[in-house]
Amino acid sequence: MAEIVAVGEAMERALALLEGGDVVAIPTETVYGLAGDATNGVGVARIFEAKGRPHFNPLIAHVADLAMAERIALFDPLSKRLAQAFWPGPLTLVLPQRPGSGIHPLVTAGLDTIALRMPRGFGGDLIARLGRPLAAPSANSSGKISATTAEAVAADLGARIRLVVDGGATPVGLESTIVKVEGETVRLLRPGGIAAEEIEAAVGMKLLRGAAAGIEAPGMLASHYAPGAAVRLNAGRIAKGEALLAFGGRRAEGWQGAAVLRNLSQTGDLREAAANLFAHLQDLDRSGVTTIAVEPIPFDGLGEAINDRLSRAAAPRDKIASET
């Protein structure tokens, strides 16, 4: 069973495991990540094995600074401006991979591009100490709810990994926003912890939505972030015995009959709702209900990313599940 160790005591242990080609669950500002040395094929393969993740689904490589990123990828001026504006932080850039980057091919799933992010806190410090980028999708079984606490990681992956670094609850609570610059345009591949409006303000243009063709980044498959219970969206009426994922101060009709209730934000604060999303979904799922009803959530700001995650959680389970 995985050992849970506080961030202040975990650095040397985490480094030793990574140097040995093993994986470590680490806190980031978004969600907990399952990290392996992105240049080590054994370590990257262990990520896929521990998560049960499809090998065609690419991983994000995490870097310590812009210099490390530029050794891995080719930056156009607009992508560099985005990196300088939002790194470290919850923004991932999809860029052409530099020849001879040293990144193991499993990370990019055969694509000629690579997804890069610079995390804050322990993750960034760990990468700097290692001196190499870390591949780190979310630390949960593939397609399931992302973990925002060390305890959630251990409950899911504890039998398959050796170390979970405990940094407390993650402050953002959603995976990173993923964008790709295409000539003079910027395409939003996955909404996330930075609202699209913030990126649009930084680049002075509207973002295009969705991939031009196929899977270009993690978290783009239809079924993802799924609890065991079915998920019903935009519920205006709650059936007796359903779990209720609420939002704001006004309740859907019949809410009193809900078997269990969690409110993403009583005040309707979308940042608070994002931070609570995965933990509340896990709480409701553990109650044993067969259906989780979700009240409507606005699409503005971080609401776009929240609704993205909920729509994937509600997708038919015969869709192939992926990860961040």
Side-chain angles (χ1 to χ4, degrees):
M1 194 67 183
E3 182 182 4
I4 299 177
V5 179
V7 288
E9 304 169 2
M11 180 64 73
E12 299 306 322
R13 176 80 186 282
L15 281 169
L17 288 169
L18 293 169
E19 291 278 11
D22 211 335
V23 296
V24 178
I26 63 171
T28 77
E29 66 271 56
T30 56
V31 298
Y32 275 72
L34 186 61
D37 182 347
T39 69
N40 184 322
V42 173
V44 177
R46 282 179 172 161
I47 294 173
F48 284 94
E49 181 182 14
K51 287 172 63 65
R53 179 186 178 94
H55 282 72
F56 60 77
N57 194 18
L59 304 176
I60 295 171
H62 295 70
V63 297
D65 51 39
L66 188 56
M68 182 181 285
E70 290 186 306
R71 291 195 294 270
I72 297 168
L74 300 167
F75 278 75
D76 58 89
L78 193 50
S79 294
K80 192 163 186 178
R81 191 200 313 176
L82 285 167
Q84 291 168 333
F86 294 106
W87 282 1
L91 178 71
T92 293
L93 297 171
V94 175
L95 300 157
Q97 188 174 185
R98 187 180 291 277
S101 69
I103 298 295
H104 194 275
L106 275 174
V107 174
T108 58
L111 299 174
D112 58 6
T113 55
I114 187 165
L116 293 181
R117 183 168 94 82
M118 186 192 302
R120 296 184 186 276
F122 181 86
D125 295 342
L126 180 62
I127 298 162
R129 285 285 307 276
L130 183 68
R132 297 186 294 280
L134 290 177
S138 55
N140 53 276
S141 297
S142 186
K144 300 302 182 183
I145 301 170
S146 299
T148 56
T149 66
E151 292 77 15
V153 176
D156 184 355
L157 299 180
R160 291 174 252 168
I161 64 176
R162 296 167 65 183
L163 178 66
V164 180
V165 180
D166 188 357
T170 60
V172 175
L174 290 174
E175 298 83 359
S176 59
T177 303
I178 303 179
V179 300
K180 180 183 181 184
V181 173
E182 298 175 340
E184 299 301 314
T185 65
V186 183
R187 186 175 293 277
L188 178 68
L189 298 178
R190 181 183 71 184
I194 296 176
E197 292 89 338
E198 294 181 64
I199 299 169
E200 289 172 340
V203 297
M205 68 180 77
K206 286 289 187 182
L207 300 181
L208 303 177
R209 264 34 178 209
I215 295 172
E216 298 188 48
M220 295 183 67
L221 296 183
S223 177
H224 197 23
Y225 316 107
V231 176
R232 186 166 68 86
L233 303 179
N234 299 313
R237 179 177 177 81
I238 309 305
K240 188 173 181 179
E242 288 184 316
L244 173 58
L245 186 62
F247 177 78
R250 298 183 63 181
R251 297 283 64 77
E253 185 180 350
W255 70 270
Q256 299 92 335
V260 60
L261 183 152
R262 293 289 184 274
N263 197 323
L264 292 171
S265 174
Q266 184 69 33
T267 62
D269 183 322
L270 288 169
R271 193 166 297 277
E272 180 185 15
N276 286 332
L277 176 62
F278 290 135
H280 283 5
L281 275 175
Q282 287 167 335
D283 282 347
L284 296 178
D285 198 34
R286 281 193 291 264
S287 72
V289 298
T290 57
T291 303
I292 298 170
V294 183
E295 290 180 344
I297 296 168
F299 275 80
D300 56 299
L302 289 179
E304 181 177 6
I306 295 169
N307 279 289
D308 171 81
R309 302 308 189 272
L310 288 169
S311 67
R312 296 176 195 275
R317 304 300 167 81
D318 58 351
K319 303 285 187 182
I320 297 174
S322 80
E323 270 313 312
T324 56

